[in-house]
Amino acid sequence: GQQVMQIPQYQHVQEGEDFTTYCNSSTTLSNIQWYKQRPGGHPVFLIQLVKSGEVKKQKRLTFQFGEAKKNSSLHITATQTTDVGTYFCAATSGTYKYIFGTGTRLKVLA
Amino acid sequence: GAVVSQHPSWVICKSGTSVKIECRSLDFQATTMFWYRQFPKQSLMLMATSNEGSKATYEQGVEKDKFLINHASLTLSTLTVTSAHPEDSSFYICSASLRTSGFEETQYFGPGTRLLVL
């Protein structure tokens, strides 16, 4: 079945440093979503990418969809302690259901 | 807007009992509802997809007789864990899907239900 891998699994950064997580699929994706889950909480929708090569920004967060629509990235500029959590991508290949990536757990050291 | 509630948020039960979890979309009618399970420090694993008025579609390896899903209306889906055992202890999360336009479909997650089976 479809698998969505994310790297890195964990990332510890100093506050103010940048952070990037990558999402990779072996199959071409229809669209991809990104979620943030705080410790003890539930996933919160961040963004959806649909078009090849699409780039979207939300304040310090930049999301990118690869040209081949097989990978995506989330980049956070100048991390803050409030950015702590696990970031998941969720992808679909044309069906109604999304498969979640393995997640990247971010820890920000003050 | 787009709020999804789950009830209960915490359940502790004895082995062999059944537990029902409710998922409601409070301010919108959901195209589809999904049920996920998440073990500690792991990703969300899709268990089943639920559409109002039809049988749920279960993912491979998920026992449909063990995890009963009922989708009574466009705003309510229930998951019943029948004859729960300790290995069923997990974080169960539902999501409700809202299609805004074309291929734009956003999932809104409930707060989750933590199940502990003793």
Side-chain angles (χ1 to χ4, degrees):
Chain A
Q2 180 185 0
Q3 286 191 323
V4 181
M5 302 301 294
Q6 273 184 259
I7 54 170
Q9 190 175 2
Y10 302 96
Q11 185 84 60
H12 293 182
V13 299
Q14 286 292 136
E15 189 173 21
E17 290 183 340
D18 292 355
F19 159 76
T20 304
T21 173
Y22 300 89
C23 182
N24 297 295
S25 169
S26 56
T27 58
T28 301
L29 304 171
S30 294
N31 57 57
I32 196 161
Q33 299 176 341
W34 284 92
Y35 293 83
K36 177 184 178 182
Q37 184 176 24
R38 292 180 181 274
H42 62 277
V44 175
F45 175 80
L46 295 176
I47 204 96
Q48 176 164 283
L49 303 171
V50 178
K51 299 175 184 176
S52 167
E54 187 171 16
V55 177
K56 287 187 176 180
K57 291 190 176 185
Q58 287 180 352
K59 296 183 180 178
R60 295 179 294 105
L61 277 61
T62 302
F63 305 84
Q64 190 163 9
F65 204 179
E67 293 288 345
K69 298 185 78 174
K70 288 187 176 183
N71 55 69
S72 180
S73 65
L74 158 60
H75 179 83
I76 302 179
T77 304
T79 55
Q80 300 175 357
T81 54
T82 52
D83 294 326
V84 165
T86 301
Y87 292 84
F88 291 102
C89 61
T92 179
S93 296
T95 67
Y96 50 85
K97 64 180 183 182
Y98 285 81
I99 303 300
F100 274 74
T102 46
T104 296
R105 189 169 307 133
L106 173 65
K107 190 169 184 177
V108 180
L109 307 172
Chain B
V3 178
V4 177
S5 71
Q6 256 184 268
H7 178 79
S9 55
W10 267 100
V11 180
I12 300 175
C13 68
K14 292 182 179 180
S15 186
T17 59
S18 293
V19 176
K20 180 187 277 189
I21 302 170
E22 289 189 353
C23 177
R24 291 180 186 272
S25 55
L26 298 183
D27 50 2
F28 67 101
Q29 292 183 331
T31 310
T32 306
M33 287 185 170
F34 301 89
W35 288 96
Y36 295 85
R37 180 166 53 182
Q38 186 178 37
F39 291 106
K41 298 185 179 180
Q42 291 189 23
S43 185
L44 285 80
M45 298 302 297
L46 180 64
M47 298 175 67
T49 303
S50 175
N51 288 289
E52 183 262 343
S54 62
K55 291 183 179 181
T57 303
Y58 290 82
E59 293 301 299
Q60 192 173 9
V62 178
E63 299 176 56
K64 60 180 180 179
D65 295 328
K66 172 78 172 174
F67 299 99
L68 298 178
I69 292 173
N70 182 270
H71 200 142
S73 73
L74 287 171
T75 60
L76 172 64
S77 177
T78 60
L79 167 67
T80 300
V81 183
T82 61
S83 187
H85 291 284
E87 58 266 28
D88 297 323
S89 299
S90 188
F91 187 42
Y92 292 87
I93 312 174
C94 72
S95 70
S97 187
L98 178 61
R99 181 168 294 166
T100 51
S101 63
F103 293 107
E104 296 285 327
E105 189 160 325
T106 303
Q107 286 193 69
Y108 295 94
F109 283 84
T113 296
R114 295 192 184 278
L115 171 63
L116 177 61
V117 185
L118 302 176

